[in-house]
Amino acid sequence: MNDEERTERIKSLLHGIKLMRDLKDDDNVLDDKMELYIGDALDAIGIYINQAEVPQQLDGVVRKMAASKFVQEGAEGATATSEEGLSFTFSDDDMKPFATLLNKYVDNQSGANRLGSVVTWD
């Protein structure tokens, strides 16, 4: 994926995050920061699954990871915080909440997960 394709993908993912959070597309005050979090999420997932390009199949994970990083902003290193009556609990490992799904993806790619396979002995 070249830089232009990556930029377009990040913008598309940003649009998805805005939809998830009920934000308008023209509400772009935090776009640069969110694009940075999205890029970081793409890189982290790519390293985790050992692929240079993260497949679109994992876009939901990218969006959720970037959004959770945004929520955690200002509380880096903390495991919990509260603000105006809301309490947030964070994992000390950014990948932990997504590891099960990412491991399932890796297993499916390697053929380790035989779910849905048909085996016959003739």
Side-chain angles (χ1 to χ4, degrees), residues 20-118:
M20 286 174 24
R21 300 292 180 190
D22 293 324
L23 299 172
K24 293 180 171 46
D25 271 338
D26 61 353
D27 185 3
N28 55 11
V29 174
L30 299 172
D31 282 6
D32 289 343
K33 189 176 289 192
M34 283 306 300
E35 288 176 3
L36 180 64
Y37 288 141
I38 293 167
D40 289 350
L42 283 168
D43 292 341
I45 292 170
I47 290 167
Y48 193 91
I49 65 171
N50 197 28
Q51 292 183 14
E53 293 184 27
V54 175
Q56 289 183 336
Q57 184 179 11
L58 296 175
D59 280 359
V61 178
V62 174
R63 285 189 298 266
K64 289 176 185 171
M65 184 180 286
S68 70
K69 201 64 173 158
F70 179 77
V71 169
Q72 191 175 358
E73 182 180 323
E76 290 85 355
T79 56
T81 186
S82 62
E83 183 177 320
E84 296 181 13
L86 293 175
S87 295
F88 298 96
T89 305
F90 309 115
S91 172
D92 56 353
D93 178 0
D94 291 341
M95 299 301 283
K96 187 175 182 178
F98 311 101
T100 301
L101 187 59
L102 293 173
N103 288 337
K104 184 77 165 166
Y105 173 82
V106 170
D107 288 347
N108 285 337
Q109 297 307 302
S110 68
N113 183 358
R114 303 275 185 235
L115 184 63
S117 297
V118 176

